[in-house]
């Protein structure tokens, strides 16, 4: 399942790059023994859907309607999926911009593509009121088998609001119709190009410094 303007590129057997409109937004490298993944986000990601207004949140009240709202013109609607409770709690990636996904304990969480705002952020405060009223719009996620988890495409402020109110948000997940691997294009330039982009994005980040 693809997201307009967003795609994966692969280099070698262990390096991955997520681009949006041609620009790198996430670099990742798998542990040589498949114990996990190290990743770095550049901060350049922008939501592929238009911002949700408060009047919409009070007017659109079903997850199915939100799926249509989020993916207007996309080839396929996201499905409503209840994630395991730990996906948005203990397995939620809060480290920014670099993080490590530890597969040793069965990680199956969510990777935000932008930093989560604070509970006192203006937009988060507005969403907290909607959450208390039972009207918080769903999060839009994208399943990534190469990470063994989901990327948060839209809803960073809504997730922050749900966490502040100790509520479990509804989740819409873009995923293949059947279980399958995340598709990726070959990265032009291969491993050397991935290494160059990683050094450019984060000179101090060492994706191969496993311990």
């Amino acid at each position: 399942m693809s997201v307009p303007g967003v795609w994966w590129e692969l280099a070698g057997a262990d390096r991955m790059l997520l681009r949006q409109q041609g620009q790198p937004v996430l670099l990742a490298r798998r542990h040589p023994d498949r114990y996990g993944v190290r990743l770095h986000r550049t901060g350049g990601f922008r939501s592929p859907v238009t911002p949700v207004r408060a009047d919409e949140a009070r007017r659109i009240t079903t997850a199915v309607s939100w799926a249509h709202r989020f993916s207007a013109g996309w080839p396929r609607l996201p499905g409503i999926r209840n994630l395991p409770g730990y996906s948005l709690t203990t397995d939620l990636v809060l480290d920014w911009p670099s993080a490590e996904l530890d597969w040793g304990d069965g990680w199956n969480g969510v990777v935000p593509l932008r930093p989560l705002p604070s509970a006192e952020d203006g937009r988060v405060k507005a969403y907290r009121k909607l959450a208390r009223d039972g009207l918080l719009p769903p999060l839009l996620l994208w399943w990534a088998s190469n990470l063994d988890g989901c990327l948060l495409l839209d809803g960073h402020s809504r997730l922050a609001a749900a966490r502040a109110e100790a509520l479990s948000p509804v989740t819409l997940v873009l995923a293949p119709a059947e279980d399958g691997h995340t598709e990726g294009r070959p990265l032009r330039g291969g491993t050397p190009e991935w290494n160059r982009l990683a050094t450019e994005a984060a000179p101090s980040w060492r994706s191969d410094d496993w311990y």
Side-chain angles (χ1 to χ4, degrees), residues 9-191:
E9 296 181 3
L10 310 177
D14 61 350
R15 290 165 170 83
M16 300 161 276
L17 169 68
L18 185 70
R19 290 190 192 269
Q20 183 178 38
Q21 303 298 341
Q23 299 302 310
V25 293
L26 181 151
L27 296 110
R29 186 176 181 186
R30 187 182 300 114
H31 189 282
D33 294 321
R34 301 184 67 85
Y35 292 152
V37 173
R38 283 198 167 166
L39 56 84
H40 179 87
R41 289 146 294 176
T42 67
F45 181 79
R46 297 294 178 266
S47 172
V49 301
T50 55
V52 176
R53 303 187 308 273
D55 63 314
E56 287 184 293
R58 297 190 178 281
R59 187 177 72 252
I60 303 174
T61 58
T62 68
V64 172
S65 296
W66 278 115
H68 283 274
R69 156 65 170 84
F70 287 154
S71 57
W74 293 14
R76 181 165 168 258
L77 296 179
I80 303 163
R81 182 182 297 182
N82 293 321
L83 300 179
Y86 56 79
S87 292
L88 285 168
T89 54
T90 57
D91 280 8
L92 173 65
V93 176
L94 295 175
D95 293 339
W96 181 271
S98 300
E100 182 172 345
L101 314 183
D102 184 358
W103 287 351
D105 295 325
W107 188 88
N108 184 218
V110 172
V111 177
L113 289 172
R114 295 188 289 113
L116 295 188
S118 75
E120 299 308 311
D121 176 86
R123 179 169 291 185
V124 174
K125 285 183 176 179
Y127 281 134
R128 291 180 68 175
K129 185 176 189 311
L130 290 171
R132 291 192 294 270
D133 293 341
L135 297 172
L136 186 68
L139 309 181
L140 180 61
L141 307 172
W142 186 22
W143 169 248
S145 65
N146 52 337
L147 301 181
D148 199 24
C150 290
L151 298 172
L152 178 57
L153 295 177
D154 187 81
H156 293 73
S157 295
R158 299 194 294 279
L159 176 55
R163 286 171 53 82
E165 296 296 325
L167 298 173
S168 298
V170 175
T171 52
L172 300 175
V173 183
L174 289 160
E178 300 179 358
D179 290 339
H181 296 293
T182 300
E183 296 181 354
R185 311 172 185 178
L187 173 62
R188 182 175 296 181
T191 297

